[in-house]
Amino acid sequence: MFLTFDHPWYLALLLVVPAVWLLGFRGLSGLGRLRRVVVLGLRSAVLVIFVLALAQAQWVRTSNRLTVVYLLDQSLSIPEEQRRMMAEFVNQSVAKHRLSERQDRAAVIVFAKQAAVEQPPIDDSIHLSAKVESPLDTTHTNLAGALKLALATLPADSASRVVVVSDGNENYGNALEEARLLAEQGVGIDVVPVRYAARSEVAVAKVAVPSDVRAGQPFDLRVVVDNTAPPAVESGSVKGTLQIYRKSRDREEQIASQPVELAPGKRVFSMREQIDSADSFTYTARFVPDDEAADHLRQNNEASGFTQVRGQGQVLLIEDSTSPGDFDFLVEHLRREQLHVTVVNSDEMFTSLGQLQPFDTVVLANVPREAISRQQIEMLVANTQQLGAGLIVLGGPNSFGAGGWADSKLEEALPVYCQVKNPAIRPVGALGLVIDRSGSMTGEKIEMAVRAARASVDMVGDRDYITVSAFDSSGYLIVPLVKKGESQSIHSRINRISADGGTNMEPALRIAAAQLGKASEAAVKHMVVLTDGHTEGSNYPPLIESIRRGGITLSAVAVGGDADLQLLDKLARAGGGRFYHAKTARILPRIFQTEARVVSRPLVYEKKSGMQPQIKFQHEILKGIDAPPPVTGYVLTTRKESPLVEVALVSPLPAEEENRTLLATWTYGLGKVVAFTSDVGQRWAANWPNWPNYDKLFSQMVRWSMRPSGDQGNFSVATEVRDEKVQVVVNALDKNDEFLNFLAPMGSAVGPDMKPRDLRLKQTAPGRYVGEFAAQDAGNYFLMIAAAPGSAPNMTAVNVPYSSEFLDRDSNDGLLTALAEMTPADSQPGMLIEASGASPVASLAAVDVFRHNLRKASSRQDVWPQLMLLASCLFFCDVFVRRVHVDLTPLPGLLVRARDRLLRRDAPTAVQTIARLRSRKAALVESLESQRASVRFEPTTENDPLGSMASNSPVADASPVANDPVAQSVTALEAESFTSRLLKAKRQALENRPD
């Protein structure tokens, strides 16, 4: 231990101490010498302690312990056999070199794309198994993340070293930067390189295809295949088959299959392609080896390329699969306006973002939320926000809030909210769910039933009521009646439902009916019951009758073939609801979402006499159009308070203006969104198909929302994948092939995970703009680049076939050597540990990674709080000594007596001394009495009655005690008594004397 200071320059204030003595020695002269020295000493101590506190004094403790953390690479580029050898190396190394007398510790961190602590630091032996227990994504190597986790794991009370066991082929993060941080902290780095045996490896490196071509325009498709057989392999050629597939939105076909023999090196295969129809296509090249042993990795045997074939303006119209053909009239009129419209139903929609790229606008026509998956909704939103495509949502009884779109990603993209927050307009609803939890529901049934219940809860509004009950042989209340927006535990309570017991539906129905009866303000009360078996009880008709009297409707869902279909059908008919027979449990969420929309039906505002739409804003969509015909209904929404929202058409009813939007638009990201809350002629706008401006309105609506098109200028976009990043190069020329400089190009990229990537383009040369974005995941990345806001965009895509984890064939010696050469602060550099001999594990374990050549660990503890407390106490003592006078005269005697008492010497001495004094006193008293009796008192003069006595007294002439101090003391006492008598007589004489 030793003392150190964070701010040592404050110690210069100690030079003030002599001045304190010089000035204080004179100023405190009135205190006396001893007190003055004590006061100055206390003042000096207070000043010294205060200066030490200002310098932030710290106690520093050093430790001889050492902690070693092993970092084991578990990515797919490491063969399984070498992963097993890593575990053996760790076990032997710790057992052989860890010094238990110094309490050295060891830890293990495994890493791939992320890092995890497999074994925390312990001062004991390690028995690591060959199979890693921590879950890892092994498609990447993130050595930097492992080093960062190691730094966070290392304890502060010991010296530290990390041992990296890896091939060094990092493709995520920067290991050198993290290693420098470790070296600055005094952490040593040893490296054990992972070496590969000589082997053949074939990889499909690239599929080169133009990203954007015109219909009917021929183009070349090129496939690059690389055989990286090393020179040590005798026969480097690999035989196999090269297959090429072309996939569009609706089909996939093989367009080529060719036997090939690949010699070491790269080889390019090309073929001519021509596509006459506008669509997006993905080309995939796959190599299949004849001998599987000749090709080590399978992950790099396939690569893809994406191209988009453009034609006229493309429109994709999506309609509900339960009501196909409802929008045939609209599609026919749009085609008359020279718009190319593709119609799909919700069961045959797109499965990737690439399938949406041929279309400039997507129309969602009265489609409920349950008809589209969450991934497809995210694709629709990303296609508009990031890639600039248009989005139109048409109204109907299954759209907006009535279709369950509240609190969804689609609602974020709309210019209106799907909820109506005004209680005067939107009545409250109540939904009750009754779920069978008997033993027959075990497995997928109960899992899907729970998921369906959660999905139906998500469909209702925050002001709607929810209650959930379950049953086996008895009934259970799972969620008491509560407003959705006032409870955060509805989902967690539903998740607790498990399968067990018999089947008796009646108690749960009564519980649910009683709960719904409490929702007195609810305008709509609906109950959904789910079961998969035959239930006990037979008193259901009067029960359903009482439920109906309470204003509650009931729908029934049967799961599987063992349910009592006849009973459930009767219950649904008597309850005024619908009956569903779900042959598989997977469709339960969609059924429950459909039933949950019953509660949302009050969002539809209808008036049979009709409502005349009013033009509020002369939007481009309404150009050349007068007042449209009346409508008898629409879906209530709430206009968003944003300056980007433009409301073109409104209804005269209801009175609240923010809730009567008919047509609203805004710009969302790079795309345009239109919300039309009425239908297009099926139900509420029955007179519109005969309106002369029908074609004009909807064609202008579609064209306004479409992605900009036209003359894109002489722009070329090139992409290249390198080091987990996509580099984008844009060359801009004008009509005269002159460079276009000082542009502000806008770029956007969307990855396969539907998340946007930041793409910023900067000018690096005349007419050249360069940018890049991260692309760690395999798949298609779609880019939209516009030279300026509002200009026609350039669409392109780039494919990342697989991680670079499957491209590296040898260890990265440069990185591994640089790591080993890192020199920690005040220590020695690490070691590059190579395997040798017939037993590589034993040779590696023979190297002592627990060597104590690193800077010892030290821990610091601030002591200034304790110093300030001590200075306060000393300052109090200083004030006390100066202000309070203490008599110290009895102190020496007290000390002597205390000393004698402690030494036990006072008892016998005291007894002897007192006895001797008493005997001596008695003798002296007897002698004095005898002398006093023989002396006669005769005064010689009147003025001096004591004069003769003083001169003639026999005591003065010859006293027997003249030479005895004890006798003299006794005589003095007697004389005092005699003198007092004389003084008394004198006072009496003076009193009797005449004036």
Side-chain angles (χ1 to χ4, degrees), residues 61-71 98 102-109 117 119-124 147-162 182 185-188 850 854-860:
R61 295 180 175 87
T62 59
S63 172
N64 291 325
R65 302 178 73 176
L66 174 66
T67 301
V68 176
V69 180
Y70 296 86
L71 307 184
R98 191 187 68 85
R102 290 195 178 185
Q103 295 183 330
D104 289 345
R105 289 174 288 204
V108 178
I109 291 178
V117 178
Q119 175 63 62
I122 59 173
D123 54 355
D124 201 352
L147 293 171
K148 187 175 182 179
L149 180 60
L151 182 60
T153 305
L154 290 169
D157 61 347
S158 68
S160 304
R161 175 179 286 114
V162 297
L182 266 70
Q185 299 294 326
V187 180
F850 284 86
L854 298 173
R855 182 182 62 185
K856 294 182 179 180
S858 60
S859 60
R860 297 171 178 262

Side-chain angles (χ1 to χ4, degrees), residues 189-249:
I189 302 177
D190 286 353
V191 177
V192 180
V194 175
R195 306 295 187 189
Y196 300 121
R199 63 190 183 188
S200 297
E201 183 61 44
V202 176
V204 179
K206 186 177 182 180
V207 175
V209 60
S211 60
D212 191 355
V213 298
R214 292 292 180 182
Q217 174 186 353
F219 60 91
D220 290 329
L221 169 69
R222 293 182 177 87
V223 180
V224 181
V225 184
D226 188 11
N227 181 5
T228 59
V233 179
E234 296 181 357
S235 178
S237 298
V238 178
K239 296 181 178 181
T241 304
L242 181 63
Q243 302 172 350
I244 301 178
Y245 297 84
R246 181 176 61 202
K247 182 180 180 181
S248 62
R249 180 177 53 84

Side-chain angles (χ1 to χ4, degrees), residues 456-638:
S456 61
V457 171
D458 293 337
M459 293 284 290
V460 301
D462 290 340
R463 296 176 58 249
D464 293 326
Y465 287 95
I466 288 290
T467 180
V468 182
S469 57
F471 64 91
D472 45 30
S473 299
S474 303
Y476 308 94
L477 180 61
I478 306 300
V479 179
L481 187 73
V482 64
K483 285 188 176 182
K484 175 189 170 182
E486 297 177 357
S487 176
Q488 303 295 327
S489 62
I490 298 178
H491 282 284
S492 60
R493 288 175 175 269
I494 293 175
N495 290 337
R496 300 173 191 169
I497 301 176
S498 59
D500 191 18
T503 306
N504 188 359
M505 186 169 55
E506 182 178 350
L509 289 176
R510 295 186 182 277
I511 292 174
Q515 291 292 312
L516 291 176
K518 299 178 182 179
S520 57
E521 61 174 319
V524 177
K525 301 177 184 179
H526 187 59
M527 184 189 306
V528 183
V529 59
L530 165 71
T531 183
D532 72 333
H534 285 69
T535 178
E536 300 176 6
S538 58
N539 198 27
Y540 287 104
L543 174 60
I544 300 302
E545 184 178 352
S546 65
I547 290 176
R548 290 292 288 145
R549 284 199 302 269
I552 303 171
T553 57
L554 182 144
S555 293
V557 183
V559 184
D562 296 332
D564 192 342
L565 304 181
Q566 185 176 2
L567 173 62
L568 295 175
D569 187 23
K570 290 182 179 179
L571 293 180
R573 291 176 182 272
R578 288 181 285 189
F579 168 69
Y580 300 89
H581 181 199
K583 297 181 179 179
T584 173
R586 294 185 179 274
I587 65 173
L588 290 179
R590 180 166 183 174
I591 294 176
F592 269 56
Q593 287 178 316
T594 302
E595 288 300 306
R597 286 195 286 111
V598 173
V599 178
S600 302
R601 282 176 183 170
L603 286 172
V604 175
Y605 189 88
E606 293 181 303
K607 186 179 181 181
K608 294 183 178 180
S609 60
M611 297 168 285
Q612 177 62 50
Q614 300 172 356
I615 298 178
K616 185 178 180 182
F617 175 73
Q618 284 295 340
H619 196 278
E620 185 179 346
I621 296 176
L622 300 179
K623 185 176 182 181
I625 297 177
D626 296 330
V631 296
T632 59
Y634 64 100
V635 183
L636 290 171
T637 56
T638 302

Side-chain angles (χ1 to χ4, degrees), residues 147-474:
L147 293 171
K148 187 175 182 179
L149 180 60
L151 182 60
T153 305
L154 290 169
D157 61 347
S158 68
S160 304
R161 175 179 286 114
V162 297
V163 180
V164 178
V165 186
S166 173
D167 58 2
N169 291 318
E170 63 169 351
N171 43 53
Y172 218 100
N174 191 325
L176 282 178
E177 290 183 1
E178 296 296 335
R180 291 189 186 97
L181 294 177
L182 266 70
E184 291 174 0
Q185 299 294 326
V187 180
I189 302 177
D190 286 353
V191 177
V192 180
V194 175
R195 306 295 187 189
Y196 300 121
R199 63 190 183 188
S200 297
E201 183 61 44
V202 176
V204 179
K206 186 177 182 180
V207 175
V209 60
S211 60
D212 191 355
V213 298
R214 292 292 180 182
Q217 174 186 353
F219 60 91
D220 290 329
L221 169 69
R222 293 182 177 87
V223 180
V224 181
V225 184
D226 188 11
N227 181 5
T228 59
V233 179
E234 296 181 357
S235 178
S237 298
V238 178
K239 296 181 178 181
T241 304
L242 181 63
Q243 302 172 350
I244 301 178
Y245 297 84
R246 181 176 61 202
K247 182 180 180 181
S248 62
R249 180 177 53 84
D250 53 356
R251 64 176 180 171
E252 180 179 8
E253 59 181 338
Q254 186 182 76
I255 60 175
S257 179
Q258 177 183 352
V260 295
E261 181 175 354
L262 303 175
K266 291 185 178 180
R267 185 174 174 184
V268 179
F269 300 88
S270 64
M271 62 179 297
R272 195 74 167 170
E273 273 284 281
Q274 178 177 333
I275 303 176
D276 297 328
S277 60
D279 206 340
S280 59
F281 297 89
T282 300
Y283 288 89
T284 302
R286 183 181 301 125
F287 175 75
V288 181
D290 294 341
D291 183 7
E292 295 184 357
D295 190 21
H296 179 70
L297 295 175
R298 297 290 179 270
Q299 291 87 348
N300 57 12
N301 286 7
E302 183 177 304
S304 300
F306 176 84
T307 186
Q308 181 176 337
V309 180
R310 290 194 174 275
Q312 297 178 347
Q314 301 286 313
V315 179
L316 176 65
L317 189 143
I318 303 171
E319 61 181 3
D320 190 5
S321 59
T322 60
S323 55
D326 280 358
F327 292 86
D328 288 347
F329 181 82
L330 174 64
V331 171
E332 180 182 353
H333 284 255
L334 290 177
R335 287 173 178 170
R336 289 180 184 177
E337 295 294 323
Q338 306 302 315
L339 292 171
H340 190 280
V341 182
T342 301
V343 181
V344 297
N345 60 53
S346 56
D347 288 343
E348 301 175 352
M349 284 204 309
F350 51 91
T351 58
S352 68
L353 189 59
Q355 296 176 5
L356 288 174
Q357 297 318 299
F359 305 103
D360 299 309
T361 286
V362 179
V363 180
L364 204 61
N366 192 30
V367 178
R369 181 176 180 178
E370 67 268 15
I372 304 180
S373 67
R374 180 179 59 83
Q375 293 80 3
Q376 290 171 328
I377 296 173
E378 292 178 354
M379 292 178 194
L380 277 176
V381 175
N383 187 47
T384 299
Q385 183 182 23
Q386 305 298 328
L387 300 180
L391 176 63
I392 299 175
V393 179
L394 299 179
N398 296 329
S399 65
F400 297 102
W405 288 104
D407 298 326
S408 66
K409 280 287 185 181
L410 182 67
E411 184 185 43
E412 295 179 7
L414 292 173
V416 294
Y417 292 109
C418 296
Q419 295 184 2
V420 177
K421 302 177 182 180
N422 191 337
I425 297 179
R426 202 283 200 199
V428 176
L431 177 65
L433 305 178
V434 181
I435 300 174
D436 185 354
R437 52 145 294 175
S438 61
S440 59
M441 291 284 291
T442 303
E444 184 184 33
K445 291 181 180 179
I446 193 66
E447 178 183 350
M448 298 306 296
V450 169
R451 185 182 302 179
R454 295 199 306 263
S456 61
V457 171
D458 293 337
M459 293 284 290
V460 301
D462 290 340
R463 296 176 58 249
D464 293 326
Y465 287 95
I466 288 290
T467 180
V468 182
S469 57
F471 64 91
D472 45 30
S473 299
S474 303

